[in-house]
Amino acid sequence: MLGRMLRHEVRDGIAWITLDRAEKLNAMTRDFFTELAGHMEQADRDPSVRSVIVHGDGKCFSVGGDIEGFGELGGSADRRAYVQEALRSYRTVEEISKPVIAAVHGFALGGGCELTLVCDLVVADETARFGMPEASVGLFPGPGAVRGRAYMSLHAIKEMIFTGAILDAERAHAFGLVNAVVPPGE
């Protein structure tokens, strides 16, 4: 299955799901969430797949939601539907029967950071930067506000949400957001 924003390939028992919109720093369109759920379900059904790795093409993992696309949302009902689509997609990541690993380099912001929070493990290279800067544009993080609490202290998640702080890989590891920090390219 080849989507508009994601690539999916299986190599040596690993389903590699690649955020493939490098020219826009892998900013997530509304269609991204349906695509992600579809790729996760495909990997879950494939008996040759033992694990899934989600990573970004280009300079970073993902800068989060495509802000240009937010202007296309209709009224409040459409905005609620969009949030529900995102939540269903993230729930699919959490619920598949195979381990899902986020391999992060560069920015993992907003929805990109939230995607890492629903993965089973997060491996970040030293270039990784995590944050939920939604407050700086008048928004509140969706799943990040809820999922982050499962891994991070209440004070750490509040600091990220309220201040829009961008954490380097080592600080994200100290906050409990990252399992391991590795040199770039590993």
Side-chain angles (χ1 to χ4, degrees):
M1 182 163 112
L2 185 62
R4 291 180 288 184
M5 186 162 169
L6 296 169
R7 276 192 329 249
H8 179 142
E9 84 178 278
V10 177
R11 294 189 317 254
D12 300 321
I14 300 170
W16 291 84
I17 298 177
T18 305
L19 284 77
D20 190 23
R21 197 171 176 227
E23 73 283 358
K24 293 282 191 171
L25 302 175
N26 299 318
M28 301 167 169
T29 64
R30 186 172 187 169
D31 292 338
F32 166 81
F33 298 106
T34 303
E35 279 188 58
L36 179 64
H39 285 291
M40 286 294 164
E41 290 164 352
Q42 179 182 352
D44 203 25
R45 286 189 308 269
D46 185 339
S48 73
V49 171
R50 295 185 317 274
S51 63
V52 177
I53 297 178
V54 180
H55 67 114
D57 190 25
K59 296 179 182 179
C60 68
F61 184 77
S62 174
V63 294
D66 186 347
I67 294 176
E68 291 175 11
F70 292 162
E72 297 171 9
L73 295 173
S76 60
D78 195 31
R79 287 191 294 275
R80 277 192 297 278
Y82 173 76
V83 169
Q84 290 303 313
E85 292 162 15
L87 291 171
R88 272 192 299 279
S89 173
Y90 288 155
R91 200 168 24 258
T92 302
V93 175
E94 289 178 313
E95 293 175 354
I96 75 166
S97 62
K98 298 164 184 180
V100 179
I101 302 160
V104 181
H105 71 286
F107 289 115
L109 302 177
C113 183
E114 292 169 10
L115 176 56
T116 71
L117 289 167
V118 296
C119 292
D120 296 304
L121 298 171
V122 179
V123 177
D125 80 11
E126 294 165 343
T127 70
R129 301 292 180 264
F130 296 83
M132 289 183 266
E134 288 92 328
S136 67
V137 293
L139 301 172
F140 189 81
V146 177
R147 302 301 195 295
R149 185 65 179 107
Y151 308 104
M152 302 165 57
S153 75
L154 180 60
H155 291 112
I157 194 72
K158 283 182 177 180
E159 178 179 339
M160 286 185 72
I161 292 169
F162 294 162
T163 68
I166 305 297
L167 309 178
D168 65 25
E170 289 297 335
R171 189 141 187 243
H173 184 257
F175 270 28
L177 183 61
V178 170
N179 296 92
V181 178
V182 298
E186 285 196 17

